[in-house]
C-alpha cells in the first residue's frame, strides 16, 4: 500500500512538473513577456523586428533544454522531500543545482535583452524607457494585462478573517 502511494505521489509530481514546464516554455515568461510587450510600443523597423525575432528564437532554443532540466531537478527535489527520511545534504545539493540552472536561464535572458537594446536607436531606447516607466501595458478597455484576480496585487486584498 505504501509503495502504491509513493508511486502515485511520484507520478502526480512528475505530471505537475511537466505541465508547469510546458506552460513556462509556451510564453509564461514572467517579466520577459511584459518587456516584449513594452518593446512592441517602440517604432521598430522591419529589419529590427526580424533581428529581434531571430534573437528570441535563438534564446528560446538555448534555454529550452535548461528549462527541461530545471523541471526534472524540481521533480527530483520533490521526490527527495517525500522520502521516508529526507536527507538535508541531498536537499541542499538539489537546491544548488536548481539555483545554478536558474542562473543560466537568467543569464541567457540578460544577454538577449542586451542584444535587443544594442539594435535600438537612442530615440527608440527613450520610447522603451518611457513605456516601461508608465507601467504594465494595457489591454482592451484600458485594463492592465496580467490581472491578478480577486486576491488583488500580491494577495493584499485577500480577507483572511
Amino acid at each position: 500500500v505504501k509503495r502504491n502511494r509513493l508511486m502515485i505521489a511520484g507520478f502526480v509530481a512528475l505530471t505537475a512538473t511537466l505541465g508547469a514546464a510546458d506552460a513556462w516554455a509556451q510564453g509564461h515568461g514572467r517579466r520577459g513577456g511584459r518587456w516584449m510587450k513594452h518593446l512592441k510600443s517602440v517604432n521598430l523597423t522591419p529589419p529590427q523586428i526580424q533581428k529581434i525575432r531571430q534573437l528570441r528564437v535563438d534564446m528560446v532554443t538555448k534555454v529550452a533544454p535548461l528549462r527541461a532540466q530545471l523541471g526534472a531537478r524540481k521533480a527530483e527535489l520533490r521526490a527527495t522531500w517525500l522520502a521516508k527520511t529526507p536527507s538535508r545534504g541531498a536537499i541542499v545539493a538539489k537546491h544548488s543545482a536548481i539555483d545554478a540552472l536558474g542562473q543560466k536561464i537568467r543569464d541567457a535572458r540578460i544577454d538577449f535583452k542586451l542584444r535587443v537594446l544594442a539594435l535600438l536607436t537612442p530615440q527608440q531606447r527613450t520610447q522603451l524607457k518611457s513605456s516601461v516607466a508608465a507601467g504594465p501595458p494595457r489591454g482592451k478597455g484600458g485594463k492592465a494585462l496580467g490581472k491578478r484576480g480577486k486576491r488583488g496585487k500580491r494577495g493584499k486584498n485577500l480577507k483572511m478573517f
Side-chain angles (χ1 to χ4, degrees):
V1 173
K2 289 182 183 180
R3 183 172 180 234
N4 287 342
R5 285 184 185 171
L6 185 60
M7 287 176 54
I8 290 171
F11 178 74
V12 168
L14 181 62
T15 304
T17 301
L18 292 177
D22 185 47
W24 179 268
Q26 289 180 8
H28 176 42
R30 291 186 181 177
R31 294 171 202 92
R34 210 178 262 168
W35 191 78
M36 289 297 289
K37 286 183 173 86
H38 284 295
L39 194 59
K40 287 180 182 178
S41 70
V42 177
N43 297 324
L44 297 171
T45 63
Q48 285 177 319
I49 292 170
Q50 187 62 29
K51 288 177 184 176
I52 290 170
R53 283 183 181 159
Q54 186 58 48
L55 287 173
R56 187 171 188 283
V57 167
D58 294 344
M59 191 260 308
V60 169
T61 304
K62 179 181 177 181
V63 168
L66 296 173
R67 288 183 196 234
Q69 289 176 18
L70 184 64
R73 300 277 190 219
K74 286 182 177 182
E76 291 171 7
L77 177 63
R78 280 189 208 98
T80 304
W81 274 107
L82 293 173
K84 194 170 190 174
T85 55
S87 165
R88 183 185 189 288
I91 291 169
V92 170
K94 291 191 188 312
H95 268 290
S96 296
I98 288 169
D99 291 343
L101 286 170
Q103 185 61 47
K104 287 180 184 179
I105 292 169
R106 282 187 297 276
D107 290 347
R109 236 185 275 138
I110 289 168
D111 291 341
F112 165 72
K113 286 183 177 183
L114 289 173
R115 287 183 182 128
V116 169
L117 288 174
L119 294 174
L120 300 180
T121 65
Q123 181 184 9
Q124 290 171 328
R125 283 183 178 217
T126 304
Q127 288 175 338
L128 180 63
K129 183 179 177 181
S130 64
S131 176
V132 170
R138 302 287 174 175
K140 290 184 178 181
K143 294 180 181 177
L145 298 174
K147 188 176 171 185
R148 298 192 188 269
K150 292 180 182 178
R151 293 175 53 189
K153 187 175 181 179
R154 296 190 183 134
K156 292 184 180 182
N157 296 337
L158 182 63
K159 293 182 181 179
M160 297 296 286
F161 302 103

